[in-house]
Amino acid sequence: MKKKYLLSLVFVLLSGVILAQNKYAFNSIDSLQEPVKITTWDLAKYDASLAWGGFKNVFASPFKWNQDDWATAAAIGIGTAGLHILDDDAKRYFKDQEKDIPSIVRDFGWYFGSPQNNYGVNGGIYLVGLFTKNEKIRRTGILMITSASAAGLVQTVAKKVTGRARPSDGGKFTFKPFKPGGGYHSFPSGHTILSFTTFYSLSKQFDNPWIKGGLITAGMISPVSRLWAGAHWLTDVALSVALTVVVVDSVDNYLDKQMKSDTELKQAKRNRISWRLQMGPSSIGLRGTF
C-alpha cells in the first residue's frame, strides 16, 4: 500500500510541475498542437483594420512630411497654377476632338469613373483575394478601396468648398463656394480620381515598365474623356491625377509597413493561444485557449 501511495504522490507532483510550466514551452511541441488556421473572417477583420489605418494615414501624413515632401507639394501647386494659362485653349482643343473619338472609348471613360462601377471593380478584386486567400490580390484590393475612399472624401469636400464653375457654366476663374448643383463642382474631377486610383494602384503591382505604362495609359482614359465632354478644365484633371498619386503612395507605404504576411498572422494567432495539459482518469491531452 505504501508503495502505491508513494507512486501516486510522485505522479501528482510531476503533474503539478508540468502544469506550472510556461505555456510557451508547449508551443515547441508541434506534435501536441492543433495547426493554426487563419479563417476568411479573420482575414476580413484584419484587412478592415488595415484599410481604416491606411485611410487615417492619408490625412495624418502631411503632419509628418519632410522638406522634400513639402517641396513636391509646392511644385504641384506651382505647376497647376501655370496650367491655368492653357485652360481655355485646352477646353477648345479637347472639345474639337470629341467627335473623332470612338464611342466605346468615351463610354469606358464615363462608366469606369462612376463610383458604383469603380467600387464594384475594386471590391470584386478584393473579394477574389479574400476568398482565395491570395495575399497579393488582397493587398491590391485594400490599396484600391482605401485610396479611392480617402481621395473621394477629399474631392467631395473640395468640390463644395471651391465651387469652381465647369467650362459650360462659367469662366476658369469663376468660383461660387457651396453653391448647390453640379455646375459649380468642377474641381477636382471625381471620375479622374476614381479611375486613376484603380489603374495606378494596379501599376504598382508590376515591375515591367511596359505593363506599368499600359495600365497608367488606361487610367488616363477617364480623365481625358472628361476634357472631351467639356465637363472639366485641364487644371481640374491635372491636379486630380497628382492628388491620386499622393494618396495611393501614402496608402501603399502604410501597407508596406503594417501589413503582415500570412505566416506572421499565423504566428501571431499561435502566440495568443494558451496551451494547457489536461489529465483525466483515462485520458491525457493538450488544450488550447484563445
Side-chain angles (χ1 to χ4, degrees):
M1 291 292 291
K2 290 183 178 180
K3 185 176 182 180
K4 180 178 180 180
Y5 288 136
L6 182 59
L7 289 174
S8 298
L9 179 60
V10 171
F11 183 80
V12 171
L13 290 174
L14 287 175
S15 299
V17 171
I18 292 173
L19 290 173
Q21 294 295 313
N22 188 294
K23 63 184 178 181
Y24 295 109
F26 292 104
N27 287 341
S28 63
I29 309 176
D30 294 333
S31 61
L32 296 177
Q33 296 180 9
E34 289 293 328
V36 175
K37 296 180 180 179
I38 302 297
T39 66
T40 300
W41 177 239
D42 289 333
L43 289 177
K45 290 190 296 182
Y46 177 65
D47 292 346
S49 69
L50 279 176
W52 176 237
F55 182 88
K56 292 188 294 182
N57 183 70
V58 169
F59 299 99
S61 291
F63 298 102
K64 298 178 286 186
W65 281 357
N66 56 34
Q67 187 174 5
D68 290 340
D69 295 325
W70 283 110
T72 300
I76 291 173
I78 293 172
T80 303
L83 280 178
H84 270 291
I85 300 173
L86 303 176
D87 265 339
D88 287 322
D89 290 336
K91 169 189 172 182
R92 289 189 290 270
Y93 172 80
F94 282 102
K95 193 61 180 173
D96 289 343
Q97 310 306 311
E98 183 183 21
K99 60 181 181 299
D100 299 322
I101 305 301
S103 59
I104 189 173
V105 175
R106 285 184 278 125
D107 289 344
F108 175 82
W110 165 257
Y111 286 110
F112 195 81
S114 299
Q116 64 275 20
N117 300 321
N118 187 267
Y119 272 97
V121 171
N122 294 350
I125 290 174
Y126 170 71
L127 289 176
V128 169
L130 177 65
F131 287 113
T132 61
K133 296 186 178 180
N134 184 299
E135 184 180 332
K136 185 170 184 177
I137 298 177
R138 275 177 45 234
R139 186 189 186 285
T140 302
I142 296 170
L143 176 61
M144 290 176 172
I145 294 171
T146 305
S147 300
S149 299
L153 177 60
V154 172
Q155 68 95 13
T156 298
V157 173
K159 278 180 182 291
K160 295 180 179 180
V161 172
T162 58
R164 190 184 193 189
R166 295 186 185 275
S168 57
D169 292 272
K172 61 182 180 181
F173 291 118
T174 303
F175 295 89
K176 294 184 179 180
F178 303 105
K179 183 176 177 62
Y184 287 85
H185 287 174
S186 185
F187 173 77
S189 167
H191 278 70
T192 296
I193 286 174
L194 291 179
S195 174
F196 199 69
T197 292
T198 296
F199 282 101
Y200 183 56
S201 297
L202 277 175
S203 74
K204 293 178 75 67
Q205 312 311 311
F206 299 92
D207 295 325
N208 187 301
W210 293 103
I211 297 178
K212 280 182 175 290
L215 289 169
I216 290 175
T217 299
M220 288 301 298
I221 294 177
S222 282
V224 176
S225 74
R226 305 307 285 152
L227 297 174
W228 291 328
H232 289 282
W233 301 96
L234 177 62
T235 44
D236 296 335
V237 170
L239 193 53
S240 297
V241 169
L243 171 64
T244 297
V245 171
V246 171
V247 170
V248 172
D249 284 348
S250 175
V251 177
D252 192 46
N253 291 334
Y254 176 85
L255 293 178
D256 280 343
K257 296 176 182 177
Q258 301 296 328
M259 188 171 183
K260 296 178 181 177
S261 67
D262 292 347
T263 301
E264 290 172 324
L265 287 176
K266 288 180 180 179
Q267 185 60 47
K269 187 172 183 179
R270 182 183 295 278
N271 290 341
R272 291 198 301 269
I273 299 176
S274 176
W275 296 100
R276 291 291 184 268
L277 186 66
Q278 290 188 328
M279 298 181 185
S282 60
S283 65
I284 180 171
L286 195 65
R287 179 181 181 183
T289 304
F290 54 91

